Amino acid sequence: MAEAYIIDAVRTPRGVGKPGKGALSHLHPQHLAATVLKAIKDRNYLDTATVDDIIWSTSSQNGKQGGDLGRMAALSAGYDTKASGTTLDRFCGGGITSVNLAAATVMSGMEDCVIAGGTEMMSYTSAFAAEQANAGLPPRLMGSGHEALDELHPQSHQGVCGDAIATIEGISREALDALALVSQQRADRAIKEGRFDKSVVPVHNPDGSVALDREEFPRPETTAEGLAALKPSFAGLADFDMGGGFTFRKQINRRYPDLEIQHFHHAGNSSGVVDGAAALLVTSKDYADKHGLKPRARVVAYANIGDDPTLMLNAPVPAAKKVLEKAGLTKDDIDVWEINEAFAVVAEKFIRDLDLDREKVNINGGAMALGHPIGATGSILIGTALDELERSGGRYGLVTMCAAGGMAPAIIIERI
């Protein structure tokens, strides 16, 4: 089997994902995707006629985010028309999956140069939030005639699931807030020390002026006292009657009838709503040699797994175990862990279940501090892991994240 090499990784800064308020919110999602595709092209002097495919991730494929962003953004970025493109959706996990599929096509020997990445402009997709309230899933849980399926696999809102998992695991509000504070502190340190500078490219307005060249979401002034004062976000949502007596709490209680959910998650210990995009260049060794490209990492292994869709957020642990087994590695071999901080409980449970050294997990902060642009986050995290491996001299990085429907993709990369 051929090797798949990561040549480069770029991303935009993440802008606050509120309509009319975030620095990127006035731009078209295609413009954001084209920004990182152009950066990959320019930084690597890429002959885009030799790009076999562009595999893109976008979770909310509605309106401006519909129409195959992978292909259309490449055209906007000035790519040769020979560079094909496709767009996928694995909810939050799509940004890892796009890279995994790019690696797979190269490792199979069928293609030599593939660009993977993703885009999500949550300032735009918030307009669809009502119909996608169930963690990005269609509203089939609201009396759409699929009640038999709902009985088999009842699903709730991700925030309510996070609270349910914390309740089941006995993880306290204090522990979740403590992790959120660490995320902010680490992100602040990383920004001040320039740890993201290698990957972050500025976003320009159509007139050439700078729209955003720095992270917009972090709140370095965050304190433990400030986090403790925030009210839980999902208690009211859990009991909101969405029609016919349907509530998200009842969905969980179908499977866990004796569970009295305690509500611990709030805006400070949940992932930030942001806009962002990222891209990675993946090639074969022959392509890299022929075009004078220096690989930064190789893809060691990747995996996908499903878990209980009712609790929804617990798949990262089995995904990590699966990809480690595929790679023939143990947790002690991993120098850098990136687990998406969709909610604090996801990262906290991941660390506890795998008994990880906390100093190796989300070293430069996570989504609680930096934000989570759904379809792009996985690609961002792979680039973040690569940058950190190079900075610290580590060898292996493992990236995984929960996704709606109770899924998790994972990848292990090795620094070259």
Side-chain angles (χ1 to χ4, degrees):
M1 184 180 295
E3 298 278 15
Y5 291 101
I6 298 175
I7 305 299
D8 201 7
V10 302
R11 68 172 178 87
T12 67
R14 280 162 277 196
V16 170
K18 294 183 179 180
K21 295 183 179 180
L24 303 176
S25 63
H26 63 291
L27 297 171
H28 195 290
Q30 187 171 306
H31 181 84
L32 219 59
T35 294
V36 290
L37 287 172
K38 186 176 186 302
I40 280 284
K41 170 174 69 75
D42 293 347
R43 283 165 48 135
N44 298 282
Y45 304 99
L46 192 62
D47 177 2
T48 57
T50 67
V51 174
D52 294 307
D53 206 4
I54 295 156
I55 304 177
W56 215 246
S57 162
T58 304
S59 185
S60 295
Q61 295 183 27
N62 298 295
K64 294 178 182 180
Q65 286 200 170
D68 189 359
L69 276 183
R71 169 62 170 176
M72 304 314 292
L75 296 177
S76 292
Y79 277 49
D80 192 282
T81 55
K82 292 180 181 178
S84 184
T86 189
T87 302
L88 60 85
D89 175 14
R90 198 193 291 274
F91 302 118
C92 297
I96 293 178
T97 295
S98 66
V99 178
N100 288 353
L101 291 178
T105 60
V106 170
M107 293 165 77
S108 72
M110 292 294 101
E111 293 179 336
D112 290 298
C113 178
V114 184
I115 298 173
T119 300
E120 204 80 39
M121 291 199 66
M122 299 179 77
S123 59
Y124 171 69
T125 60
S126 61
F128 303 95
E131 68 181 67
Q132 294 181 327
N134 189 40
L137 299 176
R140 64 172 180 79
L141 301 177
M142 291 179 262
S144 56
H146 297 285
E147 286 78 5
L149 180 61
D150 297 343
E151 290 292 341
L152 288 172
H153 301 294
Q155 297 174 47
S156 185
H157 184 279
Q158 286 190 338
V160 182
C161 291
D163 287 341
I165 293 167
T167 303
I168 292 170
E169 298 292 328
I171 299 175
S172 69
R173 162 77 182 258
E174 290 73 19
L176 300 177
D177 284 355
L179 192 65
L181 182 59
V182 168
S183 184
Q184 291 285 352
Q185 292 169 339
R186 290 181 175 179
D188 185 46
R189 178 186 64 189
I191 292 168
K192 288 177 178 176
E193 294 182 0
R195 296 187 184 186
F196 300 140
D197 290 356
K198 188 171 186 176
S199 293
V200 173
V201 296
V203 179
H204 291 89
N205 291 309
D207 65 4
S209 61
V210 174
L212 187 65
D213 60 3
R214 59 176 177 78
E215 298 292 342
E216 190 177 28
F217 187 78
R219 290 157 288 183
E221 71 280 3
T222 299
T223 63
E225 293 76 17
L227 290 170
L230 295 175
K231 294 182 179 180
S233 298
F234 303 107
L237 181 62
D239 294 313
F240 180 73
D241 189 340
M242 303 182 74
F246 165 80
T247 69
F248 290 124
R249 188 185 304 277
K250 288 182 179 179
Q251 286 297 93
I252 291 177
N253 286 147
R254 287 186 185 186
R255 288 285 305 277
Y256 301 89
D258 298 325
L259 180 63
E260 296 184 9
I261 302 172
Q262 303 299 306
H263 295 285
F264 297 145
H265 287 92
H266 50 74
N269 61 22
S270 303
S271 55
V273 176
V274 295
D275 301 329
L280 292 91
L281 176 58
V282 181
T283 78
S284 65
K285 183 179 186 302
D286 287 346
Y287 183 95
D289 290 345
K290 181 179 179 180
H291 294 271
L293 298 172
K294 183 179 179 181
R296 296 174 60 190
R298 74 178 183 95
V299 176
V300 178
Y302 57 85
N304 300 291
I305 203 162
D307 198 75
D308 177 12
T310 298
L311 293 179
M312 201 178 298
L313 311 177
N314 283 337
V317 170
K321 292 179 177 178
K322 184 176 181 180
V323 77
L324 284 169
E325 183 177 357
K326 284 180 174 290
L329 300 173
T330 72
K331 67 175 185 178
D332 295 329
D333 294 311
I334 304 300
D335 301 296
V336 173
W337 298 82
E338 288 288 338
I339 168 67
N340 187 42
E341 296 171 349
F343 301 92
V345 74
V346 176
E348 182 65 24
K349 185 176 186 298
F350 188 82
I351 293 168
R352 294 186 184 195
D353 285 2
L354 294 174
D355 190 23
L356 300 181
D357 179 351
R358 290 177 180 268
E359 295 303 313
K360 294 183 178 182
V361 183
N362 296 353
I363 297 167
N364 296 311
M368 290 186 288
L370 295 158
H372 173 26
I374 309 295
T377 302
S379 297
I380 291 173
L381 294 184
I382 295 170
T384 298
L386 174 55
D387 285 346
E388 179 58 28
L389 288 171
E390 291 178 337
R391 187 195 70 83
S392 64
R395 183 176 181 182
Y396 293 112
L398 189 155
V399 183
T400 187
M401 60 200 307
C402 59
M407 301 182 288
I411 185 173
I412 294 175
I413 62 172
E414 180 183 16
R415 178 181 65 87
I416 295 176

